Amino acid sequence: MDTSPHSSSHFSSSPPSPVALTLRRHRRDETRRLQEQYSHGRPYPGERLCGSDDCLLRCCCVYKTTGIHLPWYILIDRDESEDGVPVKDILTEFAYLVTTEVWPSIEKQSDVLLKARSIEAFVSSPPVRAAYLDFRTVCQKNDFDFSIESRLREALSSTMPRFRDLVTELDAAEQDSQRIEMLIHRHLQPPQQPGQTSSGRPPQWTQESCIMRFLLTSELWRRHGERHMRQRNWAWEEPWMVAELLSAVLLNYWLMDGEKCFAREPTRSSEQVDEAWQDWLDKYPMLEDESDDESERRRVRSPDLVPKPFGMIKGLDLDREIGYVGGVGTAARGPLWRDLRQRHDGDDEGEDDVLPQH
Ligand SMILES: [Zn+2]
């Protein structure tokens, strides 16, 4: 006889629908997946490059992917360059050559491969890709014409010593967060000319400051978190190594871009960025912490990384003609991997979604 609304509402609270349950599970899985990404080295969205918790500068908030911080594009690899060279081979080759140039004293082949793999992971990581896209955008907006390779090499070689000094300064200021913040802000933004503030004219980018921003953004990603740097094998010992290596990375990106190795994918949601991180983390797992024993090292080595013996590129003296590192700004020749094209003839693909020509 009790037909009160109270009792009827009590009986109508049915169990959640299958759709609602699925959605809830999906959200829970997503959250868990993101937490896992953060624990495997993806920086938290709130992390700022300058280290300050309150900084609102866009150039510092590079790990945020929501709202206005969602990047416009993601840089993805095409399968092959315009000459039909597999893009993943180019990256592997580059990482191997850089490793043998910067660390010639590593003797064991397995150690060389491990190091090369860590360089490859760095080069193809989402933050470095984003930094390159940013570099391209700033160049285009400011009409910096790097259409000639020698021009970029020249600008790189004049920026490199300044960047090396900056790395030294950052190391020295390790305990001084205010100084670090100041140094980072100064070098991620266009340079302020003396007396410019009063004139009202916004600071102008220069070629060097634009290169500096790429180098510093990549460097701050490399050194983000002591444990992460160790587990990625990214503790490059000396400031000159950092400067040479990152300059080589920028030059290599630029060269690969010119050879149509990349496509820009418009970003529609932050899930797309999450996906890119997941792909990268799956492909390049971190080393076990504190584990130096051989079996662990072997475990994380990629099965598809084949040893590339010295001298595989015919007619080239690697010691003298490397061009990427040690000779950035001076070497006159083009990229090493162009020599590979003879082996992969023909096969002209469509050119949709290719980055604008240099
Ligand atoms: Zn900042």
Side-chain angles (χ1 to χ4, degrees), residues 78-294:
R78 297 165 75 87
D79 290 339
E80 294 180 342
S81 75
E82 65 177 347
D83 291 320
V85 181
V87 169
K88 67 175 177 44
D89 286 1
I90 296 174
L91 279 172
T92 306
E93 188 107 349
F94 169 71
Y96 184 80
L97 287 170
V98 163
T99 304
T100 52
E101 274 298 302
V102 178
W103 291 276
S105 56
I106 304 181
E107 282 177 357
K108 244 166 100 185
Q109 185 68 357
S110 59
D111 290 342
V112 176
L113 290 177
L114 200 67
K115 193 73 172 174
R117 183 69 174 168
S118 76
I119 301 290
E120 189 184 319
F122 179 79
V123 174
S124 54
S125 63
V128 176
R129 285 173 187 276
Y132 179 69
L133 270 181
D134 173 73
F135 170 79
R136 286 295 312 268
T137 308
V138 178
C139 284
Q140 274 165 1
K141 273 191 188 158
N142 292 277
D143 288 328
F144 294 151
D145 182 14
F146 287 128
S147 57
I148 304 171
E149 189 177 321
S150 60
R151 213 167 280 168
L152 177 61
R153 283 179 183 266
E154 269 165 33
L156 265 175
S157 68
S158 68
T159 312
M160 214 162 40
R162 284 179 43 227
F163 177 64
R164 188 194 51 216
D165 293 346
L166 174 62
V167 172
T168 311
E169 273 189 88
L170 287 172
D171 285 341
E174 204 179 356
Q175 308 297 329
D176 186 348
S177 58
Q178 274 185 335
R179 180 158 174 75
I180 287 191
E181 190 181 334
M182 184 276 290
L183 284 170
I184 291 174
H185 284 170
R186 186 194 289 168
H187 291 95
L188 285 182
Q189 299 181 92
Q192 196 91 44
Q193 299 302 323
Q196 202 172 33
T197 35
S198 52
S199 74
R201 215 165 142 254
Q204 299 294 304
W205 283 103
T206 61
Q207 293 187 352
E208 279 75 15
S209 58
C210 170
I211 289 174
M212 185 64 105
R213 171 143 126 169
F214 171 88
L215 299 175
L216 183 56
T217 305
S218 307
E219 166 61 358
L220 294 170
W221 152 236
R222 181 188 73 90
R223 57 167 73 201
H224 122 271
E226 187 77 13
R227 183 182 74 97
H228 180 246
M229 190 159 76
R230 201 172 50 240
Q231 284 184 266
R232 285 264 168 224
N233 202 3
W234 288 348
W236 308 336
E237 299 82 1
E238 302 286 342
W240 72 262
M241 289 178 172
V242 176
E244 290 271 5
L245 236 151
L246 294 180
S247 301
V249 170
L250 177 56
L251 184 58
N252 190 60
Y253 258 97
W254 183 88
L255 291 166
M256 287 179 73
D257 195 3
E259 302 275 332
K260 300 189 174 56
C261 293
F262 305 121
R264 285 188 312 179
E265 195 175 89
T267 327
R268 283 173 298 276
S269 69
S270 61
E271 280 81 25
Q272 227 170 314
V273 182
D274 299 341
E275 213 50 57
W277 271 103
Q278 193 60 50
D279 289 348
W280 181 76
L281 290 167
D282 289 345
K283 190 169 178 194
Y284 302 102
M286 289 204 295
L287 296 165
E288 294 291 326
D289 202 11
E290 304 288 280
S291 102
D292 248 344
D293 76 79
E294 208 58 26

Side-chain angles (χ1 to χ4, degrees), residues 50 55 57 60 185:
C50 63
C55 177
L57 288 175
C60 283
H185 284 170

Side-chain angles (χ1 to χ4, degrees), residues 334-351:
L336 287 172
W337 46 268
R338 267 185 202 155
D339 299 23
L340 287 173
R341 75 166 60 134
Q342 280 123 6
R343 295 189 227 152
H344 305 266
D345 275 335
D347 222 45
D348 279 341
E349 281 291 310
E351 300 198 351

